[in-house]
Amino acid sequence: MSERKVLNKYYPPDFDPSKIPKLKLPKDRQYVVRLMAPFNMRCKTCGEYIYKGKKFNARKETVQNEVYLGLPIFRFYIKCTRCLAEITFKTDPENTDYTMEHGATRNFQAEKLLEEEEKRVQKEREDEELNNPMKVLENRTKDSKLEMEVLENLQELKDLNQRQAHVDFEAMLRQHRLSEEERRRQEQEEDEQETAALLEEARKRRLLEDSDSEDEAAPTPLQPALRPNPTAILDEAPKPKRKVEVWEQSVGSLGSRPPLSRLVVVKKAKADLDCGNGQPQAAPAPGAPQSRKEADPAPPTPGASSLSQLGAYLDSDDSNGSN
C-alpha cells in the first residue's frame, strides 16, 4: 500500500507524454471566479449603488484581439445585487486600472477625468508643434508671459508677508483682551442697573398695595386690658350657702318651680276661732270683698325651706280636724 501524501510519482519506463490526449478548449471560454468590485459604480437599470470592495461570483473571459505589450486583457461579468442586470468591465494594464464597459456608470472619477484631459491637451499641443514652427513660438511667448505673471504674484505675496511681519501680534491680542474685558464689565453694569430698577419698581408697587389696604380697613386702636384688683375679693360679703335637703335632690325645690309651688298653700298657725268667744267667726257675704291679708296667703320667710312649709301645712290640717 502506497503512502497517502507523496511528492514523487512513479513513471514507468515506457511512458511517453506525447501520447497523452490534449483537450481542445475554446479560446474564449469563461471561468467562474470570486472577486470584489474594483471601483464604485451605479446600475443603469435600477440605480442601485455598488460600492468598492463588494464581493461577487463573476465570470471571467479573455478579450480577443486586445493585447497591451503582450499582456492579455480580461473581461468580467457580474450581476446587480438588486435587479440582476448584467454589468461588465475589463482590465486596463496601460493605466493600471479597470474600465467600465456596460451596464453601469463609474462614480467618483473626477480626478481620473482631469488627468485624462490634461494628457489629451498636452498630446494635441505636441502634435501641433511638430509640424508648425510658428505655433511653437506662440506657445513659448504664452509660457513666458504666464511665468512673468506668476513671478509678479509671488512678489506681491512676499511684500504682503513683509508688511505683516512688522505687526505686533502680542499688542493686538492684548488690545482684543482689554476690549473683551471692557465689554463684559459694561454688560455687568447694565445688568446691575436693570436689576436695581426692577427691585425699585417692585418695592413701589408693594408700598402702594399696602397703603390701599390700610385705607380700606383701618384697624381700631387696641385698648389695654383692665387688670382686676387682686384685693377686690376681700371686700365682697360671703354668701350663705343653703343646705340642700335629701328629698330636694330627687323631687326638686318647691319654691324654684312655680307649677309645684302652687300646690302648697301655707295656712295660718292661729285658728280661725276667737280666743274669748270660742265661736267661729261668721263667713263673709258672697259678694263682700275680703281683706288683702285674708285673700293672699302669708308669704314664706326668706330663710324658710320647702320642708318647713310642708310641716306648717300639716300642722294646720291637724288643728282644723281637732276643731
Side-chain angles (χ1 to χ4, degrees), residues 192-237:
E192 291 178 356
Q193 292 177 1
E194 186 176 358
T195 305
L198 292 175
L199 291 175
E200 184 67 20
E201 184 179 356
R203 188 178 66 82
K204 290 180 180 180
R205 189 184 300 109
R206 187 166 58 254
L207 291 175
L208 291 175
E209 291 177 357
D210 294 343
S211 63
D212 293 342
S213 61
E214 289 177 359
D215 294 342
E216 290 177 359
T220 57
L222 298 177
Q223 296 181 359
L226 296 177
R227 296 182 179 179
N229 190 1
T231 60
I233 192 172
L234 300 177
D235 299 337
E236 297 179 359

Side-chain angles (χ1 to χ4, degrees), residues 141-182:
T141 305
K142 290 180 180 180
D143 292 341
S144 60
K145 186 177 180 180
L146 181 61
E147 186 177 357
M148 291 176 63
E149 291 179 357
V150 171
L151 291 175
E152 289 178 0
N153 295 333
L154 182 60
Q155 187 63 30
E156 288 180 0
L157 292 175
K158 289 181 179 180
D159 296 341
L160 182 61
N161 291 334
Q162 290 178 359
R163 287 196 300 271
Q164 291 181 354
H166 297 290
V167 177
D168 189 1
F169 294 101
E170 294 294 335
M172 291 177 62
L173 293 175
R174 193 180 306 108
Q175 184 178 1
H176 178 70
R177 186 163 52 253
L178 292 175
S179 62
E180 287 292 329
E181 292 178 357
E182 182 67 22

Side-chain angles (χ1 to χ4, degrees), residues 11-214:
Y11 294 98
D14 57 348
F15 176 73
D16 187 4
S18 60
K19 294 181 179 179
I20 299 175
K22 295 182 179 180
L23 296 176
K24 294 182 179 180
L25 299 176
K27 294 183 179 180
D28 57 347
R29 60 177 176 165
Q30 296 181 352
Y31 301 93
V32 177
V33 294
R34 182 78 170 173
L35 57 80
M36 292 187 294
F39 47 78
N40 298 324
M41 64 186 78
R42 184 181 182 184
C43 179
K44 289 182 178 180
T45 305
C46 63
E48 178 71 11
Y49 285 96
I50 300 174
Y51 297 98
K52 181 179 179 180
K54 190 171 182 60
K55 294 181 179 180
F56 292 93
N57 293 324
R59 291 180 289 113
K60 169 189 153 185
E61 69 177 7
T62 304
V63 180
Q64 299 297 324
N65 302 326
E66 289 189 19
V67 180
Y68 176 75
L69 300 179
L71 298 176
I73 297 176
F74 300 100
R75 181 181 290 115
F76 299 93
Y77 299 87
I78 61 174
K79 290 184 179 181
C80 177
T81 56
R82 184 177 180 182
C83 64
L84 302 179
E86 192 175 59
I87 300 172
T88 61
F89 57 89
K90 59 183 180 180
T91 57
D92 187 8
E94 183 180 359
N95 300 316
T96 61
D97 198 1
Y98 291 84
T99 304
M100 175 57 61
E101 191 174 20
H102 174 73
T105 56
R106 185 170 179 175
N107 300 332
F108 309 111
Q109 56 178 354
E111 185 178 359
K112 182 180 179 182
L113 294 176
L114 181 61
E115 292 177 357
E116 291 179 356
E117 184 67 20
E118 290 179 355
K119 289 181 180 179
R120 186 182 62 79
V121 172
Q122 184 68 20
K123 187 176 181 180
E124 289 179 356
R125 181 177 178 179
E126 291 176 359
D127 292 341
E128 289 179 356
E129 292 178 355
L130 186 60
N131 298 323
N132 192 353
M134 297 299 296
K135 194 67 175 179
V136 175
L137 183 60
E138 290 177 1
N139 291 337
R140 288 180 181 178
T141 305
K142 290 180 180 180
D143 292 341
S144 60
K145 186 177 180 180
L146 181 61
E147 186 177 357
M148 291 176 63
E149 291 179 357
V150 171
L151 291 175
E152 289 178 0
N153 295 333
L154 182 60
Q155 187 63 30
E156 288 180 0
L157 292 175
K158 289 181 179 180
D159 296 341
L160 182 61
N161 291 334
Q162 290 178 359
R163 287 196 300 271
Q164 291 181 354
H166 297 290
V167 177
D168 189 1
F169 294 101
E170 294 294 335
M172 291 177 62
L173 293 175
R174 193 180 306 108
Q175 184 178 1
H176 178 70
R177 186 163 52 253
L178 292 175
S179 62
E180 287 292 329
E181 292 178 357
E182 182 67 22
R183 184 178 60 81
R184 291 175 184 173
R185 185 168 58 256
Q186 185 176 1
E187 290 180 356
Q188 186 176 2
E189 291 178 357
E190 291 178 358
D191 294 342
E192 291 178 356
Q193 292 177 1
E194 186 176 358
T195 305
L198 292 175
L199 291 175
E200 184 67 20
E201 184 179 356
R203 188 178 66 82
K204 290 180 180 180
R205 189 184 300 109
R206 187 166 58 254
L207 291 175
L208 291 175
E209 291 177 357
D210 294 343
S211 63
D212 293 342
S213 61
E214 289 177 359

